[in-house]
């Protein structure tokens, strides 16, 4: 298991078009966590944005665009897609992450 990931639970939320990730994530050490996650999921980073309390990265996985989000105040991390037909991508990525649990 990758030392940076430390994932304890994942959950696909189809209606929200998101994949919640419960992990040992720290706002100041988000980059190493996100880089390890991107590598584990075989995604490509397109953009990285951050603010006072949030990180948001735009990723690409086999033609699908994903948003990787982390909010400090809620201590929540999730991947999301825009289109309903891309929820199956989140289901597949969740299956990849199960090996990190």
């Amino acid at each position: 298991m990758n030392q940076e990931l430390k994932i304890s639970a994942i959950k696909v939320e189809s209606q929200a078009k998101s994949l919640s990730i419960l992990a040992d994530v720290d706002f100041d050490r988000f980059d190493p966590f996100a880089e390890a996650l991107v590598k584990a999921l075989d995604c490509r980073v397109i953009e990285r944005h951050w603010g006072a309390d949030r990180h948001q990265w735009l990723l690409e996985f086999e033609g699908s665009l994903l948003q990787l989000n982390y909010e400090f105040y809620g201590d929540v991390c999730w991947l999301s897609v825009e289109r309903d037909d891309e929820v199956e991508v989140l289901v597949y990525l969740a299956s990849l992450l199960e090996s990190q649990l």
Side-chain angles (χ1 to χ4, degrees):
M1 180 166 86
N2 186 306
Q3 294 294 78
E4 295 295 338
L5 284 180
K6 299 180 185 168
I7 296 172
S8 53
I10 55 175
K11 180 181 179 187
V12 175
E13 298 173 15
S14 298
Q15 287 190 331
K17 296 183 278 211
S18 69
L19 169 60
S20 298
I21 303 168
L22 182 58
D24 184 13
V25 183
D26 178 271
F27 187 81
D28 295 326
R29 294 209 19 88
F30 177 79
D31 285 1
F33 169 82
E35 291 288 351
L37 182 66
V38 166
K39 184 177 179 181
L41 298 177
D42 198 25
C43 291
R44 180 175 63 93
V45 177
I46 297 173
E47 295 177 357
R48 301 173 193 220
H49 299 279
W50 61 91
D53 67 343
R54 183 179 186 143
H55 288 277
Q56 185 174 43
W57 289 18
L58 179 63
L59 309 177
E60 184 270 334
F61 176 78
E62 296 185 2
S64 294
L65 294 178
L66 309 160
Q67 292 284 339
L68 173 60
N69 298 279
Y70 174 74
E71 289 184 355
F72 171 73
Y73 292 113
D75 193 26
V76 293
C77 184
W78 72 96
L79 285 166
S80 62
V81 292
E82 291 293 318
R83 300 188 338 236
D84 289 334
D85 65 337
E86 291 180 317
V87 171
E88 66 188 41
V89 172
L90 296 176
V91 172
Y92 175 72
L93 294 176
S95 72
L96 293 178
L97 289 178
E98 286 176 359
S99 67
Q100 301 294 323
L101 296 176

